Amino acid sequence: MITVRVPAKVNVQLGVGGLRADGFHDLANVFFAVGLFDEVTATPGEGVTLSCTGPDAASVPLDDTNLAARAARLLAAHHGLGDPGVHLHIAKAIPVAGGMAGGSADGAAALVACDALWGLDTPFDTLLELAAELGSDVPFALLGGVALGRGRGEILDALPVAGTFHWVFAVADGGLSTPAVFRECDRLREEAGTGSSAADVPTPDADPALLAALASGDPVALAAALTNDLQAAALALRPSLADTLAAGTEAGAIGALVSGSGPTCAFLAKDADAATAIAAALTASGTCRAAHATHGPVRGAEVSAPRP
Ligand code: C5P
């Protein structure tokens, strides 16, 4: 039995370029891995089967569309294993369809878990390539830490970070569809008259002030530099998120933004005590389903239990 622990992410910068011919958007995407984890446990089985526990388990698909199942099949096919045998159990704490790459995290964890269970020793670079085939956010869940994602988010460069930042995540009732949020972003750009294609929108760049804030470990500077080009679209689709953002700011957060495509809202706190207080205030505010205080950056997907 192999258990892999894998973190959620927040995007401290999500710069969205124009719509490409392949249906994706070029990004300047600064991923930040935070201490909210799923655990994927692989045991020998027949075919690829899945189970899931956790507060959102009922909304996790247990068929071949699940990224964990797709990851197991992709790894087996890459190594020419005719008939992969594995049962994957997902202990889910990352919100589902929450803008924290929980499905991508499970895909990354399944790659690492199956690689260990089947004794394949796949080079890390190959795992990263397989991860990119599964989805734009899957490679980062393998890498962890903080990284700049270019292209559709899959071309990664690790970024230097000093110290630990303290975060609070306010989980909403229900999810948002990532493609729907990108479509809404395009629609808002068309409505504003700026155009939404790759020819209309300049390719975004990482913000030097944000990179400097990460490198120096300065939460106030990072808070000032937080940006998410998908935030207006997420708010248009879920206007109540404005109340969540306001509640966290009122409770003392030094920075607030929608996490990725939402609807989870992310709050930066000045220290661990402030994060605990903000989480309590958000829970009491009634503007979210739950609020969790945590920290980051943390490591990417890794085996957390030794082989028996
Ligand atoms: O790569 P992934 O499967 O996670 O992407 C889900 C969807 O999100 C894509 O089909 C696309 O609609 C949208 N997307 C995008 N540009 C990106 C990443 C995702 O438009 N860079």
Side-chain angles (χ1 to χ4, degrees):
M1 174 193 290
I2 304 286
T3 295
V4 172
R5 191 174 87 144
V6 63
K9 61 83 182 165
V10 59
N11 307 90
V12 288
Q13 179 184 352
L14 185 43
V16 179
L19 178 63
R20 309 189 316 201
D22 66 359
F24 288 88
H25 297 72
D26 273 320
L27 305 177
N29 183 352
V30 182
F31 290 105
F32 188 118
V34 293
L36 199 59
F37 299 97
D38 281 358
E39 279 188 348
V40 174
T41 299
T43 46
E46 287 202 9
V48 177
T49 54
L50 294 181
S51 56
C52 183
T53 49
D56 286 346
S59 46
V60 175
L62 297 179
D63 59 15
D64 275 353
T65 63
N66 189 301
L67 276 173
R70 289 177 46 204
R73 292 192 187 283
L74 184 65
L75 184 70
H78 175 81
H79 287 279
L81 305 180
D83 197 11
V86 66
H87 178 76
L88 295 167
H89 177 76
I90 304 168
K92 191 142 219 22
I94 305 174
V96 174
M100 299 194 76
S104 300
D106 299 342
L111 282 177
V112 174
C114 291
D115 188 59
L117 185 72
W118 297 334
L120 298 170
D121 261 329
T122 311
F124 189 67
D125 281 353
T126 306
L127 288 180
L128 284 173
E129 283 167 23
L130 296 173
E133 282 185 47
L134 292 168
S136 311
D137 290 348
V138 184
F140 177 71
L142 287 176
L143 194 66
V146 180
L148 173 61
R150 306 306 308 253
R152 59 185 165 87
E154 86 287 15
I155 305 163
L156 294 176
D157 279 305
L159 290 173
V161 191
T164 292
F165 292 87
H166 298 277
W167 290 95
V168 178
F169 294 95
V171 181
D173 270 323
L176 274 175
S177 146
T178 301
V181 176
F182 273 103
R183 275 197 304 275
E184 180 65 8
C185 175
D186 293 339
R187 196 191 66 75
L188 290 172
R189 285 173 170 175
E190 290 296 334
E191 200 174 74
T194 52
S196 61
S197 76
D200 301 319
V201 185
T203 304
D205 270 324
D207 171 10
L210 179 111
L211 301 185
L214 290 166
S216 65
D218 180 345
V220 175
L222 180 61
L226 295 171
T227 54
N228 179 358
D229 287 351
L230 290 180
Q231 179 155 320
L235 283 166
L237 295 175
R238 191 73 70 84
S240 63
L241 295 181
D243 298 333
T244 317
L245 292 171
T249 304
E250 213 168 285
I254 55 175
L257 85 173
V258 170
S259 178
S261 55
T264 306
C265 290
F267 302 92
L268 197 56
K270 69 177 191 317
D271 55 30
D273 287 345
T276 306
I278 293 162
L282 276 164
T283 304
S285 74
T287 63
C288 58
R289 189 182 80 194
H292 307 289
T294 182
H295 63 274
V298 298
R299 297 159 66 88
E302 59 189 1
V303 174
S304 64
R307 286 174 209 221

